[in-house]
Amino acid sequence: MTDKTKSTNKMWGGRFEMSPAELMVRINASIGFDKALAPQDIRGSKAHAAMLAEAGIISKSDAREIARGLDQVGAEIAAGTFTFSDALEDIHMNIENRLAELIGPAAGRLHTARSRNDQVALDFRMFVRDALDAFDDGLAELQKALAEQALAHAAVVMPGFTHLQPAQPVTFGHHMLAYVEMFGRDRARFADARRRMNECPLGAAALAGTSFPIDRHMTAEALGFDRPTANSLDSVADRDFALETLAAATISAAHLSRLSEEIVIWMTPQFGFVRLPDKWTTGSSIMPQKRNPDAAELCRAKVGRIAGAFQGLTMVMKGLPLAYSKDMQEDKEQTFDALANYHVALAAMAGMIADLEPVPERLAAAAGSGFATATDLADWLVRTLKMPFREAHHATGAIVKMAEKRGVGLEDLSLADMQKVEKRITNDVFTVLSVASSVKSRTSYGGTAPQNVQKMAKSWLKRLEKGRKAV
């Protein structure tokens, strides 16, 4: 066998006589993206080495050398001086190879009682867990910005829409609080996913566990897990923790997209409901008058990438028999991309909401359009004249039709005009036809009355200030 035909792969070269084809190296290598797992890989390896020493499987001096060497590798990666090699396939072997260069034979003891299968399952799980913690912080910041807007504009009236048609008046603060609730549920979903995934797969080895007397509870505790995973096959074979996180991120990204869409609409000259400062908008290369809400538009688009990653990983996993298959190398790149894009969209939205300026006069003018107090009129007929609601609905519809034909608002009709439809109507009806009186009357729990909005905004800000989970 010549030097050219000998396998140079340090991981499995003893079984093979020839090196892999160049294209095989390219398709097999994951270092281009899984180097993002370096911090998690080093943390996991240090915990594993400490456990091996405690169990008497390796010497304490070797464990100390391994920890020292791993710290140096981590420093090199952080400084950007580490050389990554495609020939070593992945982040795990790149780190182990450099560790051997730094500390010699002791590095070879690190992989005792573990496999790359449980190693990558651990690293990936910790990476996703770290992302979930960052998401919770980001969502809390966004909720705080929304709640502060709600408190500041609790009495600013605006149109509430159904079918994007004026429906009933609400307040700007109430509208902001709707998203506080949505993002609160997103936080709950992420928190639930974190609780479920917080089990440590390290020690499952390739798929069957190990004959070495390891202490899996020790490594689980050292790495912040609640417990070790209970089945070695499941430990290395499943990625439902990533799927669940992507599913929750997709739902949350849809909420971000809906809020983004409203900002885009509200910033049009036709609406003019809000303003954004220069730092969240862009201009045009040809039209000097333009102020484009590009940050909101980009946030709106991110849900496509995130939902696509969820679907993509589902397709990777759906047909795999137990335990590990190389298909699962495709789990990380799309997940990394999706989680990074969700995080940047979350931060951008928190910044936009904090800097958003509502335009009260435009909001108020729109709130009174489209006969938005028609429901208040119908309710008055039921409450004052004791009419069945269906009859009140019919009578109100006739009065709206009359106002529409004349091109006036309901409050601009005369008492005599309304009495042509229902003779028992009195002057008292005009007390419910203004936008201000409409929103003020909606005092039911969860309603848009300014006093409700102020109370709920303060409650949310208090919870967020205390750092309590929105679950």
Side-chain angles (χ1 to χ4, degrees), residues 12-38:
W12 35 260
R15 172 66 176 84
F16 291 78
E17 293 185 355
M18 297 184 69
S19 296
E22 181 183 349
L23 187 57
M24 179 60 190
V25 172
R26 287 172 58 193
I27 195 173
N28 196 45
S30 60
I31 188 61
F33 52 86
D34 71 10
K35 58 187 175 184
L37 296 174

Side-chain angles (χ1 to χ4, degrees), residues 380-387 422 424-426:
W380 184 90
L381 293 173
V382 170
R383 187 170 56 251
T384 305
L385 303 185
K386 309 303 180 186
M387 292 175 67
E422 172 52 61
R424 293 178 294 165
I425 294 177
T426 67

Side-chain angles (χ1 to χ4, degrees), residues 20-81:
E22 181 183 349
L23 187 57
M24 179 60 190
V25 172
R26 287 172 58 193
I27 195 173
N28 196 45
S30 60
I31 188 61
F33 52 86
D34 71 10
K35 58 187 175 184
L37 296 174
Q40 290 79 18
D41 195 72
I42 290 171
R43 282 159 54 196
S45 290
K46 289 176 70 175
H48 184 64
M51 179 276 296
L52 291 176
E54 189 66 25
I57 299 170
I58 67 173
S59 69
K60 292 187 183 298
S61 61
D62 279 346
R64 285 192 295 270
E65 276 296 285
I66 289 169
R68 180 186 65 78
L70 287 170
D71 284 340
Q72 184 171 337
V73 172
E76 290 176 2
I77 293 173
T81 59

Side-chain angles (χ1 to χ4, degrees), residues 220-450:
E221 182 178 358
L223 294 169
F225 289 97
D226 295 330
R227 63 191 70 84
T229 51
N231 182 282
S232 60
L233 285 166
D234 175 58
S235 301
V236 301
D238 207 41
R239 294 296 185 266
D240 58 0
F241 63 89
L243 279 168
E244 187 173 10
T245 297
L246 289 172
T250 298
I251 294 171
S252 187
H255 290 154
L256 288 172
S257 183
R258 294 183 72 181
L259 181 51
S260 297
E261 172 71 358
E262 295 201 305
I263 292 173
V264 170
I265 292 172
W266 290 350
M267 281 194 64
T268 62
Q270 292 81 2
F271 276 75
F273 284 2
V274 298
R275 300 187 186 97
L276 274 177
D278 291 351
K279 62 182 177 179
W280 299 114
T281 59
T282 65
S284 165
S285 64
I286 190 172
M287 296 170 285
Q289 83 282 8
K290 295 293 294 296
R291 180 188 288 273
N292 301 320
D294 281 11
E297 291 171 0
L298 289 166
C299 287
R300 182 175 59 185
K302 295 299 184 185
V303 65
R305 295 174 72 160
I306 296 163
F310 172 60
Q311 185 66 18
L313 183 53
T314 300
M315 293 301 101
V316 168
M317 299 301 300
K318 73 175 183 64
L320 298 186
L322 297 180
Y324 181 84
S325 297
K326 193 65 171 182
D327 309 51
M328 291 166 67
Q329 183 168 291
E330 295 296 317
D331 59 359
K332 285 173 282 298
E333 191 170 12
Q334 56 194 330
T335 302
F336 293 164
D337 178 79
L339 299 185
N341 276 278
Y342 172 77
H343 196 211
V344 73
L346 189 60
M349 183 57 72
M352 279 189 287
I353 292 298
D355 293 336
L356 197 70
E357 295 181 18
V359 184
E361 60 273 18
R362 292 297 293 266
L363 290 164
S369 66
F371 311 106
T373 58
T375 305
D376 297 272
L377 173 56
D379 288 346
W380 184 90
L381 293 173
V382 170
R383 187 170 56 251
T384 305
L385 303 185
K386 309 303 180 186
M387 292 175 67
F389 183 78
R390 286 301 167 199
E391 289 183 22
H393 187 283
H394 181 79
T396 300
I399 293 171
V400 167
K401 185 177 181 180
M402 179 191 301
E404 188 175 36
K405 284 183 176 180
R406 297 185 184 182
V408 299
L410 292 177
E411 69 279 12
D412 298 317
L413 291 172
S414 68
L415 178 59
D417 289 332
M418 286 187 274
Q419 286 177 336
K420 290 176 183 176
V421 175
E422 172 52 61
K423 63 182 180 181
R424 293 178 294 165
I425 294 177
T426 67
N427 264 317
D428 184 61
V429 74
F430 290 101
T431 63
V432 301
L433 296 182
S434 73
V435 168
S437 62
S438 175
V439 296
K440 188 177 180 180
S441 70
R442 307 293 172 178
T443 56
S444 58
Y445 183 79
T448 191

